[in-house]
Amino acid sequence: AQKVTQAQTEISVVEKEDVTLDCVYETRDTTYYLFWYKQPPSGELVFLIRRNSFDEQNEISGRYSWNFQKSTSSFNFTITASQVVDSAVYFCALSEGAQKLVFGQGTRLTINP
Amino acid sequence: DSGVTQTPKHLITATGQRVTLRCSPRSGDLSVYWYQQSLDQGLQFLIQYYNGEERAKGNILERFSAQQFPDLHSELNLSSLELGDSALYFCASSVGSHRPAPNEKLFFGSGTQLSVL
């Protein structure tokens, strides 16, 4: 069965610090997709990134970077030089053959000024 | 703004009642998904429709039903409501395909907050 674990329930850092959000997944499939979504205080879920199981290249987008390691079934998300606007709940999710997302429990990130 | 519209934003009702949540997908999207977000269960997939037909089903209770209409908007009906049904209900949409496409990016609405008293 698919499972996504985000062990960090809450993280609080001071602005400009780097922070890494952990995501560990379980799946029996060889083909799957991993996602990160952001849920800001306004409530809607915003897509951040998608990665397929055959692409282990790390990705950087501005201050955001993602580290996909198939050997450890992890897809971690790092925010460099964090800003107050990064405060949100971040969800890691997994999708296999069935067209549905299985979400982790989320990590609430608070960036303090 | 994701382009997905959900109404109403807030709904307060009593146990035993029935409510209907409405979702309009992004223009051009054929797939609609419903998710429930609660404190104890987290974000759970309920059901997906593609171009009017049910495509996938998750942990949706028998008291809940959904449909997608010819104009592609969708409604989620919740009946015989219980206290435990209080949650944030999200609708999401994607371009969709007649074949399952697990790599699709979903666009979420801002949700309907349901409170059952």
Side-chain angles (χ1 to χ4, degrees), chain B:
Chain B
D1 184 4
S2 68
V4 179
T5 304
Q6 288 189 248
T7 56
K9 290 195 184 308
H10 303 276
L11 199 47
I12 301 174
T13 188
T15 53
Q17 295 297 304
R18 172 190 167 94
V19 297
T20 296
L21 312 184
R22 183 189 167 99
C23 169
S24 293
R26 286 190 325 155
S27 177
D29 283 358
L30 299 180
S31 274
V32 168
Y33 309 74
W34 287 96
Y35 282 83
Q36 179 195 59
Q37 185 178 29
S38 62
L39 283 174
D40 52 346
Q41 298 288 328
L43 265 164
Q44 299 264 317
F45 169 73
L46 295 179
I47 197 163
Q48 180 211 352
Y49 281 83
Y50 170 70
N51 205 19
E53 308 234 334
E54 184 183 302
R55 167 66 64 80
K57 217 166 183 176
N59 299 325
I60 187 167
L61 299 172
E62 283 192 16
R63 300 183 286 107
F64 297 180
S65 65
Q67 55 184 325
Q68 185 180 26
F69 295 87
D71 67 353
L72 300 176
H73 92 271
S74 178
E75 292 181 356
L76 179 67
N77 300 297
L78 315 176
S79 61
S80 303
L81 285 167
E82 302 175 359
L83 296 177
D85 297 328
S86 296
L88 184 55
Y89 290 84
F90 283 109
C91 171
S93 73
S94 68
V95 172
S97 165
H98 54 272
R99 289 187 177 184
N103 61 329
E104 282 206 306
K105 182 167 70 171
L106 269 56
F107 294 86
F108 283 80
S110 53
T112 294
Q113 181 67 58
L114 174 66
S115 299
V116 182
L117 305 178

Side-chain angles (χ1 to χ4, degrees), chain A residues 33 35 37 39 42-47 50 91 95-105, chain B residues 33 35 37 40-43 45 48 55 88 90 94 100-106 108-110:
Chain A
Y33 297 85
F35 300 78
Y37 281 83
Q39 186 176 33
S42 53
E44 78 281 10
L45 284 152
V46 179
F47 168 87
R50 167 185 56 205
F91 291 92
S95 178
E96 294 178 351
Q99 198 164 353
K100 63 177 185 179
L101 287 172
V102 173
F103 285 89
Q105 286 296 102
Chain B
Y33 309 74
Y35 282 83
Q37 185 178 29
D40 52 346
Q41 298 288 328
L43 265 164
F45 169 73
Q48 180 211 352
R55 167 66 64 80
L88 184 55
F90 283 109
S94 68
N103 61 329
E104 282 206 306
K105 182 167 70 171
L106 269 56
F108 283 80
S110 53

Side-chain angles (χ1 to χ4, degrees), chain A:
Chain A
Q2 308 167 61
K3 187 178 178 184
V4 177
T5 302
Q6 293 179 256
Q8 304 148 309
T9 307
E10 294 193 34
I11 299 176
S12 181
V13 301
V14 176
E15 203 171 18
K16 296 184 185 174
E17 283 186 26
D18 298 348
V19 57
T20 295
L21 309 183
D22 297 334
C23 172
V24 174
Y25 62 92
E26 292 176 31
T27 177
R28 293 178 186 170
D29 274 15
T30 54
T31 301
Y32 51 90
Y33 297 85
L34 296 162
F35 300 78
W36 276 93
Y37 281 83
K38 174 182 180 179
Q39 186 176 33
S42 53
E44 78 281 10
L45 284 152
V46 179
F47 168 87
L48 294 177
I49 192 173
R50 167 185 56 205
R51 173 65 76 229
N52 75 56
S53 52
F54 296 106
D55 182 2
E56 287 195 70
Q57 265 194 326
N58 291 330
E59 179 150 342
I60 298 174
S61 176
R63 296 183 296 105
Y64 294 175
S65 62
W66 290 269
N67 183 351
F68 176 32
Q69 292 199 340
K70 220 166 167 178
S71 59
T72 56
S73 297
S74 65
F75 186 41
N76 297 336
F77 173 31
T78 298
I79 301 175
T80 302
S82 60
Q83 299 177 2
V84 172
V85 293
D86 295 326
S87 296
V89 181
Y90 290 86
F91 291 92
C92 181
L94 168 69
S95 178
E96 294 178 351
Q99 198 164 353
K100 63 177 185 179
L101 287 172
V102 173
F103 285 89
Q105 286 296 102
T107 297
R108 180 176 298 278
L109 176 63
T110 302
I111 310 297
N112 299 299

